[in-house]
Each structure stands twice: as C-alpha cells, then as structure tokens.
Amino acid sequence: MGTAAIIVAAGRGVRLGGPVPKQYQTLGGEMVLTRTLRAALACSELDAVLVAIHPDAPPLYAEAVAPLTDSRLLPPVHGGAERSDTVRLALEALEPRAPQVVLVHDAARPFAGPELYATLAAHARAGESAIAAEPVTDALWREADGHADSPAPRAGLWRAQTPQAFPFAALLAAHRVSLGAGGPPALDDAEVFRRAGGRVRLIPGPPENFKITTAADLARAERLIKAEEGRMNDIRTGHGFDVHRFCPGDRVTLCGVAVPHERGLEGHSDADVGLHALADALYGAIGEGDIGQHFPPSDPQWKGAESHVFLSHAGQRVAARGGRIANLDVTLLCERPKIGLHAAAMKARIGAILGLPEDRISIKATTMERMGFIGREEGMGALATATVALPAAGEAAP
Ligand code: MG
C-alpha cells in the first residue's frame, strides 16, 4: 500500500503585534493546532504530517508541536500569499517522498476524527478524489438593504470542509497548471482540482468538523471539549507483568530503546519486557485480553517483531473505544544494565509510539537485591500500570 501524507495549512493571519491567529489560540488547555495535529496523528493510515506555516510563525509553531513527539511529523514549510500558494509549496516539499495520496486540512478544524481521515484517504487510494462536506439544510436568502429579498434554492448545495483527499501526483499537477493559468485564487483544493478537469466526490463530514474562525466558534469548541471531557469518567486501571530470560547477545531492547549489555534477551519477538508489560496493562485496562491473544506466538509473522507494533495496537484499541490514556507507569526489574541513563529516551519512545505527552509516562527501575532469578541475572522482568479514561457507559464519544 502506498503512503499517505497530510498537509495542514496553518499559513494565515500571523501579524506581529496583531491578534494571535485562531490556530494558535488556546482551546481546552492546548493550542488549536496541537489538537488538530494530535487528531491527525491518531490516524494510523497517515504516514507523514506536514504543516505549512506563515514565515513569522516559527515561535508559535514550536510551542504548538512541543507536546508532540511523533516521528511522522515533518519539519514545517513556509506557506505563500494565498491558500493555494501555501498548499502548492507544501506539495512541492512532499514531492521527493512521492506519497501515493495526499490530504489537505485546515489547521483550525481540530474536530476531524481519525475515521474521517481514514475514509478520505481510502477514496484517494482507490484513485478517487474526495472532500468532506456538509449538505446545506438552512433556508437560503439573498439579501437587499438588510432584508430578505429572494429565496435561493438550497437543493444540491454542500458546504465544503476539510480534509480534502487526492492522488498526490494529480493534485500537484493541478496546482502547477493553476499557477500558470492565472485567474482568481481558488477557495480550496477541490476547486484547483476541478479547474484542471478532475472530479471530486462529496463525503458527508460531521457538523463538529467546523472551522474555528470567530470568537463564537472558539467558545463553541470549548463547550464541545468540556462536554467530551465530562463523558470521559469511566476510569479503568490495568496492570501488566512480563519476564524474559537472558541469552547470548550484546544489547537488550527495553521500552523501545536498544541498551548495550553483555547479553541479549530471548523471546519470540524482540523480547522487550517493558513494552510487553505496558501493552498488557493497556489491554487489561479495557478488558481486551493480552498480547498473546492479539498476536499469537504460534503465528510465524510475529517472530522477531518489534514490540512497538504491540504497544501501538493496544493504544489504537483504547482510541477505538473512544478512550484516552491518562498515565503509564513502568518499573523495570534487573540488576544490570543501569536504566537511569536511558529512562528519558524510553519515555520519548513510548510517547512517540502512542502520541502521548511525556509527562504522562514514568519509567523507573529496581534491582532485586541479588535475590531470586532476576537477582542471579538469569533474566529480567517488568511491571506496568496503565490508567485509561473511557466515555461513560452508554455514551459514545463524538
Ligand atoms: Mg514478553
């Protein structure tokens, strides 16, 4: 399957001394752009996320992405004068990666969920361009002198949203043609694509996927988030435990980090006790079994597997239940190697795998005071606890 990239257009409205543009305003304790990117990164079908920013915005952008450690987030590019210039410049920047499909999204639409991204990407993979849009249901009036003058037919009218998804090469070609053609700037990528002769399917997007443009929109977004958080009151805790035996080798993989050691760890996968205990804690919290059930050791395809696959699957199961990880706590049990030097890298790695801020992750270690099988250095172990917030029973997350 070819790769899918997403361009998040955050290029507008930054003026030094002017009001902070909506994509950098605070919403529910973090920047709008941070929420938008977190939602995109929650979609595992997206392989690369590129933000196009205003040349004056780097300090704001740095603040927005500080809580995000996902390696799919690329360094930002600078946008242009018009939105279509911004998107074209971002497409040119992506060209060397040659993604199969590209989605374009507004930075100020933080409520597009992973399912919407996945649905649109699937259309583009099948060769069909598609945009999220909402059918118009209100009566429409043409105004004259502040009065309703004549009704306008609403049948067949849709309001365009983003994301908008296209085969990558076709959208880049359409933008290049549009650049040479002159004429008024296109309002969105669907227009650019249609001007170049393409067809664009309309996919119903949810009403929550509105664009934050005014102060009233920001207040509506705050209310949506408060309501969402109020529903997340079904708090679950899970624990996990794992051990692996030492074997000949020169490193051990612990919490996703290769740690030099005079031996390795024996196991069907990469024998990462930390990530195994953590994945089991997450499965435990949502009552969905353990790693062995989702990735049977009898299945040869998981032999030598890197354990981030297991952890990210457990994280996706939490997300699929509409849940959120509150915190993770891992204790590694070994006499050696020393863990302290590597704990920061382990937190960063787990944060990147799950898209979770590092202040919600804890890594610590203890020796066994030379007692028992761990004390004799026959192997090592790990304990983990996970706390997860799910929507209250009977209330699905929006
Ligand atoms: Mg294991």
Side-chain angles (χ1 to χ4, degrees):
M1 199 159 70
T3 56
I6 182 166
I7 293 168
V8 176
R12 294 205 184 185
V14 178
R15 276 193 313 274
L16 287 177
V20 176
K22 291 292 179 293
Q23 66 268 28
Y24 296 112
Q25 290 196 12
T26 303
L27 174 61
E30 57 186 4
M31 282 183 175
V32 171
L33 178 59
T34 311
R35 286 188 172 267
T36 302
L37 293 175
R38 204 189 288 291
L41 292 165
C43 178
S44 56
E45 279 92 339
L46 299 177
D47 308 287
V49 179
L50 177 64
V51 186
I53 64 173
H54 190 279
D56 289 338
L60 287 168
Y61 177 77
E63 199 182 322
V65 299
L68 306 171
T69 50
D70 196 301
S71 61
R72 291 174 296 163
L73 185 60
L74 306 176
V77 293
H78 287 174
E82 298 293 339
R83 183 197 164 93
S84 53
D85 299 320
T86 295
V87 174
R88 190 188 70 254
L89 292 167
L91 288 165
E92 299 283 3
L94 282 173
E95 197 191 16
R97 306 178 75 90
Q100 184 196 355
V101 308
V102 65
L103 282 69
V104 181
H105 188 55
D106 298 326
R109 290 186 196 267
F111 298 112
E115 310 76 28
L116 186 59
Y117 289 120
T119 302
L120 288 162
H123 277 276
R125 280 190 205 286
E128 179 181 67
S129 299
I131 68 170
E134 209 184 343
V136 172
T137 54
D138 298 324
L140 295 178
W141 284 96
R142 205 171 300 284
E143 174 242 295
D145 295 329
H147 291 75
D149 186 59
S150 55
R154 71 179 175 207
L157 286 187
W158 291 64
R159 303 195 319 182
Q161 300 180 344
T162 68
Q164 304 194 343
F166 308 86
F168 177 83
L171 184 64
L172 177 57
H175 270 274
R176 285 173 176 167
V177 166
S178 167
L179 180 66
L187 291 178
D188 65 2
D189 294 280
E191 191 175 347
V192 173
F193 197 70
R194 283 197 29 87
R195 281 182 188 175
R199 275 163 66 84
V200 177
R201 183 171 288 281
L202 299 167
I203 303 292
E208 308 84 67
N209 184 27
F210 61 94
K211 187 172 176 180
I212 300 175
T213 310
T214 63
D217 295 332
L218 197 60
R220 179 183 171 199
E222 287 282 1
R223 287 195 300 276
L224 258 179
I225 285 170
K226 285 225 165 58
E228 194 181 317
E229 279 167 0
R231 279 191 293 269
M232 303 285 282
N233 58 7
D234 185 0
I235 307 299
R236 312 285 190 91
T237 301
H239 76 89
F241 173 65
D242 194 33
V243 293
H244 281 268
R245 188 185 290 276
F246 281 124
C247 65
D250 59 5
R251 82 196 65 176
V252 289
T253 303
L254 298 174
C255 295
V257 174
V259 176
H261 191 49
E262 67 218 33
R263 280 180 285 178
L265 286 169
E266 187 179 286
H268 188 72
S269 65
D270 62 9
D272 186 331
V273 283
L275 293 193
H276 292 184
L278 203 45
D280 275 355
L282 281 172
Y283 289 127
I286 55 173
E288 295 200 12
D290 60 15
I291 293 176
Q293 194 173 317
H294 297 281
F295 300 91
S298 54
D299 187 336
Q301 71 168 304
W302 308 122
K303 184 157 175 57
E306 292 191 35
S307 297
H308 64 83
V309 174
F310 310 147
L311 184 62
S312 104
H313 178 263
Q316 281 161 19
R317 289 306 310 153
V318 174
R321 296 276 293 269
R324 199 162 47 218
I325 299 168
N327 82 301
L328 302 170
D329 190 10
V330 182
T331 303
L332 295 167
L333 310 173
C334 59
E335 302 299 320
R336 293 180 310 143
K338 285 244 178 294
I339 303 302
L341 285 174
H342 307 282
M346 293 174 181
K347 279 170 76 154
R349 182 73 185 117
I350 291 168
I353 295 166
L354 292 169
L356 192 66
E358 286 176 39
D359 67 352
R360 293 177 182 273
I361 304 166
S362 152
I363 305 287
K364 47 200 166 34
T366 182
T367 72
M368 300 294 275
E369 300 286 345
R370 302 232 149 257
M371 296 181 289
F373 71 91
I374 292 172
R376 292 189 298 272
E377 299 193 46
E378 293 167 18
M380 62 173 296
L383 298 161
T385 307
T387 307
V388 167
L390 295 182
E395 293 190 67

